[in-house]
Amino acid sequence: SKPSAGNASRMAVPLITGPTWTITTARDSPSSPRLAVPLREKKPFLGICLGGQMLAHHLGSRVYKHPEGHAEVGYYPIRPTEHGRAICEMWPDHVYQWHREGFDLPSGATLLAEGDTFPVQAFRQGDHAYAIQFHPEVTHAMMCRWTIRGQHRMELPGAKQRVAHFEDRFVFDYSMQNWLSHFIDRWLKIEVPVPAQKPLWKPAFTA
């Protein structure tokens, strides 16, 4: 159904992408300039992987390939910062990754989680916009599809082999999904200002 004007002003704007795009592709797409709209209107925004890279790039930060060509493909450890724990107390030890580009922390942004190969794993801009480098939304079906269609990615330096993806999923997926549930609750509780609307009618007389 079509959202009403009131509901539209509260709508979140998630940007979730799969494993085939890179920020180089995004720079040529019309999506990056459109990030200005939810940021200007202070709507809840979540950029995942490429979405996080696009947000970082939009905020003037560097998006880069690892100098030694390393990639994160599979499960890798992350470390939440003090600010990250203030948002979600419990973070997963490992998260699912599928990328070969990372981003620097934009000026004025708050670092929420760190990694080893790519140091910036999550950040917040203001109170409404979040970027994460990893893929907490991944499902078993998605993992099957990505590891088949993107098999060549597992030949990159630092990438995990396909069997490790599914072995690690049994170990780390529960804590990642638990974090995602708590994070979404925190993210969508943000108060978004709603413009005052004129009444559609007014009474003909008053008592």
Side-chain angles (χ1 to χ4, degrees):
S1 62
K2 185 177 181 180
S4 67
N7 289 334
S9 64
R10 292 183 171 91
M11 287 175 63
V13 187
L15 181 54
I16 302 174
T17 60
T20 57
W21 284 18
T22 67
I23 191 62
T24 304
T25 305
R27 285 172 184 157
D28 296 331
S29 78
S31 299
S32 187
R34 293 177 184 172
L35 299 185
V37 176
L39 296 179
R40 183 176 63 249
E41 297 181 358
K42 296 184 178 180
K43 293 182 179 179
F45 177 90
L46 173 61
I48 296 179
C49 196
L50 171 61
Q53 295 172 6
M54 290 173 65
L55 178 59
H57 180 256
H58 179 81
L59 295 172
S61 187
R62 178 180 67 124
V63 178
Y64 63 93
K65 291 184 178 180
H66 192 275
E68 298 178 6
H70 285 219
E72 290 185 321
V73 180
Y75 284 90
Y76 296 83
I78 62 168
R79 298 176 299 277
T81 65
E82 181 179 351
H83 293 289
R85 290 198 181 278
I87 295 171
C88 288
E89 183 177 353
M90 301 299 295
W91 283 67
D93 294 328
H94 290 65
V95 292
Y96 194 69
Q97 308 266 17
W98 194 289
H99 67 101
R100 53 182 176 174
E101 295 182 353
F103 45 78
D104 291 332
L105 184 68
S107 176
T110 302
L111 181 64
L112 303 180
E114 301 173 295
D116 295 327
T117 305
F118 293 91
V120 180
Q121 288 290 328
F123 71 82
R124 180 184 68 195
Q125 177 68 22
D127 293 327
H128 301 79
Y130 288 80
I132 57 178
Q133 182 63 85
F134 49 95
H135 283 279
E137 85 286 4
V138 71
T139 65
H140 180 79
M142 291 167 63
M143 192 178 292
C144 289
R145 188 163 57 248
W146 290 6
T147 54
I148 292 174
R149 296 180 179 177
Q151 187 174 6
H152 61 284
R153 292 291 183 91
M154 286 167 274
E155 299 174 1
L156 295 171
K160 304 289 182 67
Q161 295 304 301
R162 187 172 191 266
V163 65
H165 292 224
F166 294 94
E167 290 177 347
D168 289 347
R169 185 172 187 272
F170 284 107
V171 179
F172 302 122
D173 185 66
Y174 177 80
S175 60
M176 190 172 67
Q177 297 303 319
N178 187 52
W179 172 86
L180 178 61
S181 177
H182 285 83
F183 170 79
I184 289 178
D185 286 345
R186 167 63 177 81
W187 173 50
L188 295 182
K189 283 181 180 177
I190 297 171
E191 290 292 333
V192 179
V194 179
Q197 296 182 2
K198 294 181 180 180
L200 298 178
W201 63 276
K202 57 183 177 180
F205 64 90
T206 56

